[in-house]
Amino acid sequence: ERWRALERVFARWAGRALVVVVSCVSLAIGWAIIAHTSAVACGDRRLLRAVSVALTVAILFNVFWNYVHAAARPAGSTASLPLPRRARSTRDRSPDPFPAGGNRAPDPEVSRRAFEGCRLCVPCGRAKPPGAHHCRTCGVCVQAMDHHCPFLGNCVGADNVRHFILFTGYVSIGNAWGLCTAWACARACVSVYPLRSHRPSAGSRATAASSGA
């Protein structure tokens, strides 16, 4: 139990560090496109450069907007579900997963089918609905859990999966846009500074031979 707690703390802090790394890398790429590649690729065409900068800023805004919501928003807590009357704690190692008075005998204010299809999550002591899973890193049950994303420092579940999908989509769009601007920048550089062959011409060879003689 002690090692699990240390593992959970380490995973949380590592996730926060990855969040900082992802944010810094995204900002660095966006700044490189705005300050360097767009300026070289567009040259003196101010309107084209303004469109390029506006598109880059729009992509960055959507990337960070969805990233912050996916990382900071709860993934889908099961805290709103009613508690069993006598949920087993983590110290209780009895072989019966549903102790007497558990899900089989809910409180009077709970409807008869409140726990239909649910299982008992032993670490949480709560009813776990279908599709929910217990995340050992976060220490909670998440509804419609997909996975625990280390780059978010959070689980991907029912309440933030939309922002996660949009985040990955805008990141893909941003990568494609960065490659396009880099290709345009390379073409502009080649047109301004054409590549020259290092093979000496016939005239230069003749001149070198005469000078050597």
Side-chain angles (χ1 to χ4, degrees):
E1 196 70 30
R2 184 178 180 182
W3 289 108
R4 286 184 180 180
L6 290 175
E7 180 185 1
R8 188 180 302 122
V9 172
F10 175 78
R12 286 184 178 180
W13 281 103
R16 293 173 182 176
L18 284 176
V19 168
V20 175
V21 171
V22 170
S23 302
C24 292
V25 169
S26 300
L27 286 174
I29 294 175
W31 173 252
I33 294 175
I34 293 173
H36 301 287
T37 56
S38 294
V40 175
C42 300
D44 296 332
R45 294 169 289 185
R46 296 183 179 181
L47 180 60
L48 185 60
R49 185 178 180 184
V51 171
S52 175
V53 171
L55 184 58
T56 304
V57 171
I59 293 173
L60 277 177
F61 174 79
N62 284 280
V63 165
F64 279 100
W65 175 266
N66 291 284
Y67 184 66
V68 169
H69 279 76
R73 190 171 184 177
S77 176
T78 59
S80 59
L81 297 176
L83 281 171
R85 181 178 293 178
R86 296 181 186 175
R88 185 178 64 171
S89 64
T90 55
R91 298 180 180 179
D92 186 7
R93 301 301 179 184
S94 60
D96 186 8
F98 293 95
N103 283 21
R104 299 173 183 172
D107 290 332
E109 64 271 11
V110 179
S111 62
R112 184 182 296 274
R113 297 185 179 181
F115 300 109
E116 185 176 6
C118 295
R119 295 173 296 167
L120 180 66
C121 180
V122 176
C124 291
R126 292 182 177 273
K128 186 162 60 174
H133 296 280
H134 182 83
C135 179
R136 293 192 304 172
T137 303
C138 298
V140 294
C141 284
V142 179
Q143 297 190 38
M145 178 180 174
D146 186 79
H147 68 286
H148 181 88
C149 182
F151 295 99
L152 295 178
N154 193 12
C155 290
V156 178
D159 292 343
N160 66 345
V161 64
R162 175 177 173 270
H163 291 290
F164 176 76
I165 293 174
L166 288 174
F167 163 70
T168 54
Y170 280 110
V171 165
S172 301
I173 295 173
N175 290 333
W177 174 243
L179 289 175
C180 291
T181 55
W183 178 73
C185 180
R187 284 195 61 184
C189 291
V190 169
S191 63
V192 174
Y193 304 102
L195 297 177
R196 296 179 179 178
S197 175
H198 296 285
R199 181 180 298 177
S201 60
S204 62
R205 288 199 299 267
T207 304
S210 62
S211 61

